[in-house]
Amino acid sequence: MSDEKWSQRDYHHPAAGWGAARSVLGLIAGEGEWVDGTRAIFRVNHENGGFDCPGCAWPDDLKGLKLDICENGIKHVTWEMTRKRVDRDFFARHTVTELRHWSAFELEDQGRLTEPMVYDPDTDRYEPISWRDAFDLVGAHLRALESPHEAAFYTSGRLGNEASFLYQLMAREYGTNNLPDCSNMCHEASGRALKASIGTGKGTADLKDWEAAEAIFVMGVNAASNAPRMLTALAEAHQRGTRIVHVNPLVEAAATRTIVPHDFVEMGLMRPTRTSNLNLQIRPGGDMALMRGIAKVLLEKAERDPRALDPEFVERHTTGFEEYRALCAATSWEQLERQSGLDRERIIDAAQIYSLSDRTLISWCLGITQHEHGVDTVREIVNVLLLRGNLGREGAGPSPVRGHSNVQGNRTCGIDHRPTPEFLDGVAEACGIDPPREPGLDTVGTVRAMNEGAVKVFVGMGGNFAKAAPDTPYTAAGLRKCDLTVHVSTKLNHSHLEHGRAALILPCLGRTEKDHQRAGLQSSSVEDSMSMVHLSVGMKRPASPHLLSEPAIIAGIARATLPDSATPWEHYVEDYDRIRDTMAQALTGFEDFNRRVRLPLGFRLVQPARELVFLTPSGRAEFSLAELPDVVPAEDDVLVLQTMRSHDQWNTTVYSNDDRYRGVRNLRTLVFMNARDMRDRGIAEGDPVDIESTSRDGSRRRLRRYRALAYDVPRGSAAGYMPEMNVLVGSADYSTQSDQPLMKNLLVRVVLSTDTEEEANHGERIEGARAR
Ligand SMILES: Nc1nc2c(c(=O)[nH]1)N[C@H]1C(S)=C(S)[C@@H](COP(=O)(O)OP(=O)(O)OC[C@H]3O[C@@H](n4cnc5c(=O)[nH]c(N)nc54)[C@H](O)[C@@H]3O)O[C@H]1N2
Ligand SMILES: Nc1nc2c(c(=O)[nH]1)N[C@H]1C(S)=C(S)[C@@H](COP(=O)(O)OP(=O)(O)OC[C@H]3O[C@@H](n4cnc5c(=O)[nH]c(N)nc54)[C@H](O)[C@@H]3O)O[C@H]1N2
Ligand SMILES: [Mo]
């Protein structure tokens, strides 16, 4: 973070390659982690021993060189393994009010948290507290609440399966389903859509399918930065002749060419592999129209050539086909072109690639889900797959790219504010508790409830709720209204500083560290994007002798809160095999858990839809019949703004102000715009602009003196970075289908700034909410 001037120019090198290699070396050296860093890298994602890379949820490669790592994974691992420490002296030197002005980078860069800390309002500082007193404080607050629903238990997607199971058990034994999680902002739409369409809320494809596909659609994901190991799959697929279609308003680095990250020969020769056959620069939110257009082309073609569809599959395994056919016929090309922002010819090109392939995978991430119509769009993706039987067949199926490394496992193990009756029955029987049956609060609901005084205790199991959640000042105000906020964390972040009247920071072991309990060295399991469950074992000495594991912290809180609990909390923590034995009884698909998770590559959870068993009301895969929404803003001067990640950040952790593949150096307070949209507004390259959003409740919010940069985005759309831009997301701006905040769909006006430098960059709310 220097005062060095910013710059932006096109990046012409392939993704991964030497830019990435240089960056990795700098990172390892920079953190003073040469030895540990390099040793750790060779232990990431290994089949025997080693820890699961916390960088993303892409599965481990099962073949070839076991060097399945990437630049951003290494960045993430070395960040956790830093030698720097945030100790009691640090907290003694800085008041909370002072720290609140530090950047996210500056806070995390102080290093690892070392001991439990409690907030002292008299000194406005965090001070040391013993674990026992910390647990007692949480227990006292939770026991004093009038109703268990006055507490919320947030989870960020790093938490291992065993800890997730204990955490949900504690919340439910205590009496609430208030289990908001990061998935509420991430893939909630995918889960709901897949559950409705095919009966189970997960993708059906695995890495073998990626290797067998004849066509792959990559929709709304910046793979080179956020799932870099996907680059290998794409490059290898392209070399095999697989046709690859990228759908994205931006042409991202992975959508052109890459150097296979672990192919050192190719790196040496600088020989890039192409990763695309077709790039479709879609209008934001236009993906559903594209999918419907593809279906329309296929259905018209099928009138002359029945092989355009898979009539046998449709007949045997689906319902609603005739209605869907009629819906497609009734949707005009004019509508499809306008809503997708694509010409008919381009849609036909995509349909052609799709219809010439007998094995097609469609993968997607936040560009699809963080929209009002995220659920309908994912269901439309499934509709298109069903038409040609691309399900339950090798090389085919829906393949959402999940975010956090264990976000899928969290859900499987019960982190869900809307648990199914079957799930609760399993837990009730195996654990002898009587769980609450009514749905709990999700992320958006928790923020509102804290502000309304309905939630008084907030427990965050990892993550950075204050910055990750929408409407930053409103979320902060909610946290500050709480009687108690508790954060289980590895590093300091703003959530510790927007605290309740009483507040605790509880430091935990990271995934790279050895977790010793009474029965010896413990391991935790995780589930990747493709339903593979395997063990992760830390190999480093803990950052401090005072750290506890997440299961131990949960057990400590549970015992203090539920003194008469029949759950053997201490017994569980002594040996995680015991937790797994209970999970084997409680959770479907976890039979014989302890044995199977120790198989060299773990095991694959059964995904019934892949076996063509559909747990839907009809027992079949269900075509969805949603009306095509209007995604074009009503007013001409409004732009649709998306908030995304740079190459050099991990969610709320910002490593630098650079964004290599988009050619940006030293600037995050930027907005990418179409050059013609800039000209229309009298804005020149790099001019300071104000960005004003209008929320659904009529309230307006503004960011000042951002820099406008011309970028290849469709007219009428714009892009900038999360989490800074969360100040523009109103608390009313969430999808009615998924309750996900509309982080890729903000309606904004951008104008030349008339402010002075001093007024720069502070997000603000500029008008009270009008009633809807
Ligand atoms: N290095 C690194 N890795 C990460 C993360 C990280 O922060 N850093 N975060 C992790 C997490 S939690 C997650 S959820 C994932 C996020 O992975 P991504 O989904 O790649 O995250 P974003 O950076 O938000 O990028 C969204 C992409 O969707 C595109 N997009 C926006 N709107 C639309 C649209 O309407 N239609 C289409 N088709 N595309 C659109 C954007 O141009 C961008 O390419 O990555 C995970 N991996
Ligand atoms: N505007 C906008 N907002 C977004 C998004 C967007 O695209 N646009 N994306 C959303 C998405 S997809 C997500 S997933 C959320 C992310 O929301 P979160 O998961 O809440 O945020 P992270 O930044 O991933 O959390 C980082 C913190 O986790 C803690 N941590 C790291 N490792 C560990 C560990 O092993 N154990 C524990 N206990 N703590 C640990 C550290 O203290 C670190 O500061 O943000 C959402 N917010
Ligand atoms: Mo995410």
Side-chain angles (χ1 to χ4, degrees):
M1 314 269 147
S2 66
D3 297 329
E4 185 195 335
K5 199 172 154 29
W6 63 270
S7 64
Q8 199 260 329
R9 58 178 70 88
D10 294 345
Y11 188 81
H12 293 294
H13 308 291
W18 285 110
R22 231 188 337 268
S23 154
V24 164
L25 294 181
L27 266 158
I28 296 176
E31 282 288 325
E33 285 292 334
W34 258 110
V35 179
D36 284 345
T38 31
R39 216 177 65 211
I41 287 155
F42 289 92
R43 294 288 294 271
V44 181
N45 297 344
H46 276 214
E47 76 179 71
N48 294 313
F51 51 87
D52 180 68
C53 179
C56 73
W58 188 260
D60 304 344
D61 203 342
L62 310 184
K63 61 169 177 34
L65 243 188
K66 290 276 179 287
L67 193 63
D68 200 20
I69 48 169
C70 72
E71 173 199 1
N72 277 350
I74 292 168
K75 219 186 270 177
H76 211 49
V77 168
T78 51
W79 192 243
E80 176 174 302
M81 301 204 321
T82 176
R83 294 218 169 97
K84 299 180 194 163
R85 298 288 178 268
V86 183
D87 52 15
R88 54 174 74 186
D89 296 340
F90 172 88
F91 285 108
R93 283 197 304 275
H94 305 286
T95 64
V96 168
T97 309
E98 178 201 336
L99 291 174
R100 218 175 269 144
H101 297 291
W102 291 26
S103 71
F105 175 85
E106 289 163 330
L107 292 176
E108 288 218 6
D109 192 40
Q110 299 309 309
R112 291 286 300 278
L113 295 159
T114 52
E115 61 181 320
M117 304 297 290
V118 62
Y119 180 68
D120 180 348
D122 293 335
T123 60
D124 186 33
R125 286 180 169 82
Y126 273 100
E127 297 185 346
I129 183 174
S130 71
W131 278 108
R132 171 106 321 277
D133 291 347
F135 292 146
D136 285 346
L137 183 69
V138 186
H141 270 92
L142 287 175
R143 277 184 281 118
L145 293 180
E146 268 170 39
S147 149
H149 305 308
E150 290 177 345
F153 299 91
Y154 176 69
T155 311
S156 161
R158 286 262 195 126
L159 197 64
N161 289 332
E162 293 74 11
S164 299
F165 185 78
L166 289 189
Y167 193 49
Q168 63 83 34
L169 179 60
M170 172 180 80
R172 298 200 163 108
E173 187 173 347
Y174 173 65
T176 186
N177 284 316
N178 288 350
L179 286 158
D181 67 355
C182 66
S183 197
N184 299 148
M185 301 180 262
C186 194
H187 272 290
E188 191 70 43
S190 306
R192 291 196 194 177
L194 291 170
K195 189 145 193 357
S197 288
I198 59 174
T200 24
K202 302 179 184 183
T204 65
D206 65 17
L207 266 194
K208 284 214 277 311
D209 296 317
W210 278 74
E211 285 162 12
E214 293 173 6
I216 298 175
F217 283 65
V218 181
M219 303 179 72
V221 48
N222 174 15
S225 297
N226 297 328
R229 288 182 288 146
M230 188 204 276
L231 290 173
T232 314
L234 291 178
E236 290 177 356
H238 196 276
Q239 280 166 337
R240 267 195 321 272
T242 302
R243 314 280 285 166
I244 302 175
V245 180
H246 292 265
V247 183
N248 200 313
L250 276 62
V251 179
E252 300 282 28
T256 49
R257 65 224 160 98
T258 184
I259 289 194
V260 179
H262 7 129
D263 192 331
F264 290 120
V265 179
E266 299 215 334
M267 273 178 82
L269 299 174
M270 280 300 281
R271 202 164 50 198
T273 309
R274 283 187 56 201
T275 47
S276 175
N277 298 90
L278 181 65
N279 274 322
L280 299 175
Q281 279 186 273
I282 195 104
R283 173 196 290 285
D287 303 83
M288 184 169 166
L290 167 65
M291 285 294 122
R292 184 147 306 171
I294 292 175
K296 189 175 172 74
V297 175
L298 290 181
L299 289 162
E300 284 170 4
K301 204 170 157 196
E303 285 168 20
R304 302 180 304 274
D305 175 8
R307 284 171 311 167
L309 307 179
D310 183 341
E312 200 185 319
F313 180 93
V314 170
E315 171 67 31
R316 280 185 60 183
H317 298 295
T318 73
T319 66
F321 170 73
E322 285 307 329
E323 293 88 337
Y324 184 59
R325 186 215 296 267
L327 194 62
C328 292
T331 314
S332 70
W333 274 109
E334 190 198 350
Q335 215 185 340
L336 293 169
E337 287 188 316
R338 180 169 160 76
Q339 294 301 327
S340 65
L342 302 172
D343 294 342
R344 180 175 178 169
E345 289 69 36
R346 290 288 82 70
I347 300 177
I348 292 174
D349 288 345
Q352 184 74 359
I353 290 180
Y354 181 59
S355 67
L356 290 177
S357 153
D358 284 332
R359 301 159 188 273
T360 302
L361 268 178
I362 304 186
S363 87
W364 68 90
C365 198
L366 302 181
I368 300 298
T369 58
Q370 291 180 333
H371 284 285
E372 172 62 37
H373 306 283
V375 175
D376 286 346
T377 304
V378 173
R379 294 204 63 184
E380 198 77 18
I381 288 173
V382 177
N383 285 352
V384 166
L385 289 170
L386 294 178
L387 287 176
R388 288 181 52 77
N390 279 305
L391 197 72
R393 173 194 290 176
E394 187 169 73
S399 188
V401 181
R402 305 300 293 250
H404 267 291
S405 51
N406 197 37
V407 62
Q408 186 157 319
N410 292 167
R411 270 292 155 96
T412 305
C413 299
I415 306 299
D416 190 346
H417 64 288
R418 306 195 313 170
T420 62
E422 300 78 54
F423 178 87
L424 293 177
D425 291 345
V427 172
E429 183 151 340
C431 304
I433 68 163
D434 181 16
R437 298 280 163 170
E438 64 275 44
L441 294 169
D442 64 355
T443 292
V444 165
T446 298
V447 173
R448 191 188 311 120
M450 290 191 300
N451 274 286
E452 289 170 353
V455 159
K456 297 176 173 145
V457 174
F458 177 91
V459 180
M461 193 53 63
N464 187 358
F465 194 80
K467 291 288 166 189
D471 208 345
T472 317
Y474 186 65
T475 296
L479 287 165
R480 281 199 228 132
K481 265 192 162 178
C482 286
D483 292 340
L484 174 70
T485 49
V486 183
H487 291 280
V488 179
S489 313
T490 50
K491 288 202 162 188
L492 190 61
N493 65 42
H494 281 103
S495 296
H496 307 132
L497 310 173
E498 307 293 356
H499 54 79
R501 270 185 290 283
L504 287 166
I505 303 174
L506 304 180
C508 66
L509 294 173
R511 200 177 276 175
T512 55
E513 291 166 328
K514 286 184 179 153
D515 180 357
H516 277 288
Q517 303 293 346
R518 195 158 176 169
L521 184 66
Q522 301 299 311
S523 50
S524 287
S525 65
V526 292
E527 174 185 344
D528 65 30
S529 263
M530 302 184 191
S531 302
M532 289 295 301
V533 179
H534 61 97
L535 280 181
S536 170
V537 195
M539 33 73 71
K540 263 211 87 180
R541 187 153 47 89
S544 146
H546 308 298
L547 302 182
L548 291 186
S549 73
E550 283 153 333
I553 295 173
I554 294 163
I557 294 176
R559 184 53 79 200
T561 307
L562 307 162
D564 304 325
S565 168
T567 303
W569 297 104
E570 298 78 6
H571 182 75
Y572 278 153
V573 174
E574 285 174 3
D575 184 351
Y576 299 174
D577 277 0
R578 297 170 186 163
I579 312 175
R580 284 187 280 270
D581 280 339
T582 303
M583 292 169 79
Q585 291 170 38
L587 307 178
T588 316
F590 282 77
E591 300 76 19
D592 207 7
F593 189 13
N594 267 311
R595 186 188 62 81
R596 287 198 295 154
V597 81
R598 287 185 167 82
L599 296 172
L601 295 161
F603 64 97
R604 189 165 203 280
L605 278 175
V606 173
Q607 157 53 305
R610 191 188 163 82
E611 319 300 325
L612 299 174
V613 173
F614 301 106
L615 305 176
T616 54
S618 63
R620 288 159 168 259
E622 301 191 354
F623 276 98
S624 86
L625 305 170
E627 283 300 323
L628 200 61
D630 185 0
V631 296
V632 185
E635 289 151 297
D636 281 348
D637 61 335
V638 163
L639 301 178
V640 179
L641 172 76
Q642 63 146 322
T643 62
M644 60 190 185
R645 289 144 182 80
S646 75
H647 183 65
D648 215 12
Q649 78 182 85
W650 218 96
N651 292 344
T652 66
T653 307
V654 177
Y655 300 114
S656 83
N657 290 345
D658 301 342
D659 192 358
R660 185 182 331 125
Y661 297 138
R662 298 188 186 114
V664 179
R665 283 184 58 80
N666 207 35
L667 186 68
R668 278 184 66 83
T669 49
L670 64 76
V671 54
F672 292 122
M673 293 173 68
N674 183 291
R676 283 165 66 190
D677 287 333
M678 285 171 67
R679 221 173 307 139
D680 290 351
R681 290 161 177 77
I683 299 168
E685 180 75 358
D687 271 352
V689 293
D690 294 345
I691 310 167
E692 188 181 305
S693 65
T694 306
S695 168
R696 286 183 170 176
D697 63 9
S699 59
R700 291 184 295 144
R701 287 162 181 77
R702 183 161 58 196
L703 276 172
R704 292 172 162 184
R705 287 190 73 88
Y706 267 49
R707 302 231 172 239
L709 299 185
Y711 203 82
D712 184 10
V713 295
R715 283 201 80 174
S717 71
Y721 299 124
M722 67 83 80
E724 292 90 333
M725 283 187 164
N726 264 329
V727 299
L728 295 173
V729 188
S731 55
D733 297 334
Y734 57 89
S735 161
T736 50
Q737 305 189 339
S738 65
D739 301 315
Q740 271 190 244
L742 300 178
M743 290 158 165
K744 297 281 184 279
N745 207 323
L746 302 174
L747 302 183
V748 300
R749 288 186 171 80
V750 180
V751 295
L752 261 181
S753 181
T754 53
D755 293 338
T756 57
E757 286 288 344
E758 292 76 59
E759 290 166 313
N761 298 341
H762 296 302
E764 59 180 355
R765 187 172 161 145
I766 51 182
E767 195 180 84
R770 273 189 264 119
R772 248 205 280 190

